[in-house]
Amino acid sequence: MSALSATDPTSFSNPDKVVVTHIDLDLEVDFERHVLAGEVNLSLNKLVDGVDTVILDTRDVTVHSVTDKQTGQQLNFSLGEKLEAFGSKLEVKLPTSADKKCDITIKYETSPECSALQWLRPEQTAGGRQPYLFSQCQAIHCRSMVPCQDTPYVKCTYTAKITAPKVITILMSALLEGSKPSASDPGKTVYSFRQKTPMPSYLIAIVGGDIVSKDLGPRSKVWSEPELVEQSAFEFAETEQMLQTAEKLLGPYVWGHYDLLVLPPSFPYGGMENPCLTFVTPTLLAGDRSLADVVAHEISHSWTGNLVTNKTWDDFWLNEGNTMFVERKIAGRLVGDSGEQLRQFKALCGWHTLIETVDDLGKEHPYTKLVQDTKGVDPDDSFSSIPYEKGHALLFYLEQLLGGPDVFEPFMKTYIDKFKYKSITTADWKEFLFTYFHEQAAAGVFDKVDWDGWLYGVGMPPVKPTYDMTLAESCETLAKRWLDSSEEQLSGFTYSDVEQFLPVQTEQFLAAFLNYSPLSHAKIIKMRDTYKFDEVKNSEIKFRWLRVCIKAQYEPAIKPALQFVTEQGRMKFVKPIYRDLYNWETSRDQAISTFQTNRNQMHNTTVQTVAKVLQLA
Ligand code: BES
Ligand code: ZN
């Protein structure tokens, strides 16, 4: 791995010597060939004397030429061998001038295998009329779309001119400056975008398709295919309220617009915090706003992640742990008086998720560490709930230790102000924590914290924070009643057991069974009929219900489970269900054949992940 950078073990680049300050794209979207073709201009700033080479990241791109933008002179370049997910390093000899700044132009095109992009044929969309294209760059896929310093160590602004067929609407993680018919081809439109806030490469995003919008609030619209736009506007109606709550917690929203884009079902994540335009999965469309927490999460990233960014993927918890913490604050604030109870309940659910993840990975596994130190590992492989929930648990614990929300929330706001527009490490975060709470530090409060255990230890954290149990009790009690009941006692269960539950309580009720021995088929059938679990629209509940059924080796659940992992591609759902189906002999062959039949329709990242689960890779 020696070729990889000292500043970031997932990148080849040398931003400590010469750094990209602006990216200017001029690309045409080719739906026939499944490529983006054109050029990128990189504005460079030399940081050390005598630096004569810029090293960029690429993956599966064809480089036609590299030139000095000022003089048009050809520059020497070489493209290295492909190193799996890290791609190929592109070394460019810089123009020989004493100037600290220079601009280089790279003419290139992406390949149909570009890992950042998914191209859908019209029949794979809701409307069936037009093709569709979307990107997902986090963590290290941007390099397959744009030769760049693909590391969160670097932040830069970007502009883009995108040419596409005029029936296609293009959006990016930036503000639209205008669109006009192409001068050379009246059948095409040229869009101009600008992102004026410096940001890391993983936040560059593009979408193209038959998409329309509906207003959500003064600075927000929701975008989707026409078929889904009304439903989406209903589901995400709380967006402005969430933005205002986040601003109260963390300071002004600096990105201008906050729009949402509801993607086709193969989108591999719940949400992605692309600036100005959060991407979300259509599996959030439950019809009752019960899954809008994902929007609160992505909104929070506008501060934790997009303003204050992890310097390398080892510090990913700074992005996701902080974001979970703010997400749960927002969720609490939105319901009013009982909000703190709800936040505590969601925090406890997070603790349970953490237990499950540590169990799955194994308590000695290096991926269970909060701060990762896995050089040479593809971040898609080490991705798990650990940075989210261990990170959240640490902040939740510190908040309690330091005197509660009244003391900790002002710290969060000051932290954002201190590090906005920067990329930081865990050490930077910790040092600032100690400086901000210097009185408590002097009084020895931090001596009680097992820092090594929390930050660098494997397995569960050294202490469990305390959680208010009000909302947890009813679902835990009900789960216990089911577990303890004999078959004769099953008639005692009625719909009224769950009628008053919040959707998250039903989720948690079901999650409880995953930790115990399987339910009998009689219980599965009774539970399904009594609580109407076969009709449930909420994807989080459906996901857990299917898992409870598979764990019980209830054969009639195999078909709906396979359907669930085929009709949508959110990895959080797809990976565990495929794993469950693989581990049960009765369903193993069906799982493998379903995957083989569908893999060409699936997102590349999901294919890689599922192939590993099914032992095919
Ligand atoms: N930034 C992440 C998604 C991500 C992380 C994509 C790493 C690629 C690599 C996003 O903000 C996220 O955390 N999404 C969650 C939402 C949930 C925790 C509310 C998801 O997709 O489930
Ligand atoms: Zn996130």
Side-chain angles (χ1 to χ4, degrees), residues 138 271 273 297-298 301 304 316 319-320 323-324 327 388:
Q138 197 180 12
E273 64 272 27
H297 179 96
E298 306 313 334
H301 273 308
T304 50
F316 184 49
N319 277 17
E320 297 301 345
T323 298
M324 289 310 299
E327 170 200 328
Y388 291 77

Side-chain angles (χ1 to χ4, degrees), residues 315-352:
D315 295 301
F316 184 49
W317 82 271
L318 288 174
N319 277 17
E320 297 301 345
N322 276 294
T323 298
M324 289 310 299
F325 190 70
V326 178
E327 170 200 328
R328 289 179 176 144
K329 293 241 176 223
I330 296 174
R333 294 272 206 293
L334 248 54
V335 301
D337 287 347
S338 59
E340 183 57 15
Q341 271 179 12
L342 183 66
R343 179 176 87 101
Q344 296 267 336
F345 177 64
K346 292 192 179 215
L348 178 66
C349 297
W351 182 264
H352 289 144

